[in-house]
Amino acid sequence: MEHDLQFTFMGFTAYYSCDGMRDKVRWFLEQLGVRPGFKLTTRGCVRANGRRLRRPQDRRRVAGSGGPRHGRAVPGAARRVEFKSNFVSDHLQDGDCELMEQLRDKVFVPMGVKVVEDRTSCMPNQNVIGAVDMTLEVLGPVRAP
């Protein structure tokens, strides 16, 4: 199952290189169980020449991780995924707070991801310690015992 998603990142605190944003968004989607091999294009980032793209927008086709096909139910199980910036991580830092809020609202929820708990606290133009604290629930395939 493929989804067309649009994502517009408008940050006040953090700026990302285009490669950095693409890799970061890809990592978040992989943590949620999106199948590898999806097409991801990022905008709203800083190019190598230092210019920021005027119309930030991320448009991608994402292969879903399961669900009803042709009217048949597919067995699935809920799985929780936590994103916390107060732990040492190469992929998630406190400065990613605005990005996480926008991904939550414009990508995760429209994909059917349930927000279980969200204590994320972003402040424009400030880097807050432990700013990202979000627990999501995704539906994935049932694994054989």
Side-chain angles (χ1 to χ4, degrees), residues 65-108:
S65 59
R69 294 179 187 238
H70 308 292
R72 293 182 301 147
V74 175
R79 177 176 63 91
R80 288 194 175 189
V81 179
E82 291 184 0
F83 293 112
K84 294 184 183 217
S85 62
N86 57 346
F87 295 104
V88 177
S89 171
D90 292 335
H91 299 286
L92 178 61
Q93 290 88 32
D94 293 327
D96 296 325
C97 191
E98 291 171 322
L99 177 63
M100 283 300 295
E101 283 187 332
Q102 292 178 37
L103 285 171
R104 175 198 62 209
D105 297 341
K106 298 176 182 178
V107 177
F108 301 158

Side-chain angles (χ1 to χ4, degrees), residues 40-86:
L40 177 63
T41 305
T42 56
R43 296 190 185 174
C45 50
V46 178
R47 292 185 184 190
N49 63 9
R51 292 188 348 204
R52 189 168 183 183
L53 299 178
R54 290 201 178 276
R55 293 178 46 158
Q57 173 168 292
D58 179 356
R59 185 168 176 80
R60 61 190 162 274
R61 294 182 69 79
V62 179
S65 59
R69 294 179 187 238
H70 308 292
R72 293 182 301 147
V74 175
R79 177 176 63 91
R80 288 194 175 189
V81 179
E82 291 184 0
F83 293 112
K84 294 184 183 217
S85 62
N86 57 346

Side-chain angles (χ1 to χ4, degrees), residues 23-55:
D23 292 347
K24 193 169 286 272
V25 172
R26 181 178 300 276
W27 181 82
F28 287 127
L29 292 172
E30 287 171 354
Q31 299 310 299
L32 295 176
V34 173
R35 286 188 228 149
F38 55 87
K39 181 181 176 187
L40 177 63
T41 305
T42 56
R43 296 190 185 174
C45 50
V46 178
R47 292 185 184 190
N49 63 9
R51 292 188 348 204
R52 189 168 183 183
L53 299 178
R54 290 201 178 276
R55 293 178 46 158

